[in-house]
């Protein structure tokens, strides 16, 4: 009788196990979205804490890792941003959006040749990637080459006439 009860309890545990993982998975996703909302509202320090909490639950959840890289870049903490960006690239090395983000981080670090390499790699794979095209303009601007930056922003604007960033430049 005792063995039968233990077997039944074990069977119920095995049946409930996927549900436990599901609730943790959905709670980390909800937590991530609350971090994304804080980030979008410019509440970077709250978003940092939320993203770090997400990574305590799932250290390989790429969304919060990218969020941390973006926030540290916005806070001009480029070395820290690069650390999280490298971590994200391990999880998704072929993601050209990560290459563009890395390019922008390298502009902040004044590694212009590395940034140019990254934007060129993106354009080679995706010739009409507007974010990479804007990255070239950002390099020129950071180097004080205002006329070159203006031309590159105009080129990006021709690709997409509704691009707010290119319109403001």
């Amino acid at each position: 009788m005792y063995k039968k009860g233990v077997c039944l309890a074990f069977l119920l545990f095995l049946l409930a196990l996927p549900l436990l993982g599901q609730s943790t998975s959905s709670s980390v996703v909800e937590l991530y979205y609350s971090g994304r909302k804080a980030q979008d509202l410019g509440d970077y320090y709250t978003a940092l804490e939320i993203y770090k909490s997400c990574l305590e639950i799932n250290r390989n959840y790429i969304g919060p890792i990218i969020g941390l890289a973006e926030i540290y870049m916005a806070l001009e903490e480029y070395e820290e941003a690069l650390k999280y960006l490298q971590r994200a690239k391990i999880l998704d090395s072929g993601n050209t959006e990560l290459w563009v983000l890395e390019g922008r981080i390298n502009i902040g670090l004044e590694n212009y040749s590395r940034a140019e390499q990254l934007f060129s790699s993106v354009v080679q794979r995706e010739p009409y990637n507007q974010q990479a095209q804007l990255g070239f303009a950002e390099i020129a601007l950071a180097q004080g080459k205002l006329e070159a930056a203006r031309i590159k922003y105009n080129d990006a604007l021709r690709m997409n006439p509704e691009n707010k960033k290119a319109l403001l430049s």
Side-chain angles (χ1 to χ4, degrees):
M1 180 77 171
Y2 175 75
K3 283 185 178 182
K4 194 174 191 180
V6 170
C7 287
L8 183 60
F10 184 71
L11 182 61
L12 288 173
F13 172 75
L14 289 177
L15 290 173
L17 196 56
L19 297 175
L20 292 173
Q22 201 171 37
S23 102
T24 302
S25 176
S26 66
S27 67
V28 74
V29 171
E30 290 169 13
L31 193 60
Y32 164 72
Y33 282 117
S34 68
R36 179 53 65 181
K37 183 176 179 182
Q39 181 180 351
D40 291 344
L41 294 172
D43 188 358
Y44 294 139
Y45 295 102
T46 299
L48 283 173
E49 292 305 314
I50 293 171
Y51 288 154
K52 287 178 180 180
S53 295
C54 289
L55 295 179
E56 287 175 11
I57 298 168
N58 180 350
R59 66 185 182 92
N60 290 323
Y61 188 8
I62 195 167
I65 296 170
I66 294 169
L68 287 165
E70 292 169 341
I71 290 172
Y72 282 119
M73 186 183 79
L75 295 172
E76 298 181 4
E77 294 184 32
Y78 301 112
E79 293 292 339
E80 195 69 13
L82 191 57
K83 180 178 98 175
Y84 283 101
L85 186 275
Q86 296 297 345
R87 191 168 157 191
K89 280 180 65 179
I90 289 169
L91 297 170
D92 191 4
S93 62
N95 184 337
T96 56
E97 289 178 30
L98 294 179
W99 299 0
V100 170
L101 180 57
E102 184 179 0
R104 290 206 165 101
I105 292 168
N106 275 284
I107 292 171
L109 291 168
E110 298 180 9
N111 295 334
Y112 304 122
S113 61
R114 176 66 180 144
E116 192 167 344
Q117 280 178 333
L118 289 158
F119 296 138
S120 294
S121 294
V122 172
V123 169
Q124 201 169 28
R125 286 182 74 176
E126 300 171 5
Y128 298 104
N129 185 303
Q130 192 163 25
Q131 293 305 310
Q133 297 294 343
L134 289 171
F136 291 120
E138 291 168 14
I139 292 170
L141 191 60
Q143 293 176 322
K145 299 175 183 175
L146 302 182
E147 183 60 21
R150 186 188 64 75
I151 290 168
K152 291 181 187 300
Y153 278 120
N154 282 337
D155 290 345
L157 191 56
R158 269 194 291 276
M159 286 175 63
N160 181 2
E162 295 178 17
N163 184 296
K164 293 176 186 171
K165 193 171 191 176
L167 280 171
L168 290 173
S169 66

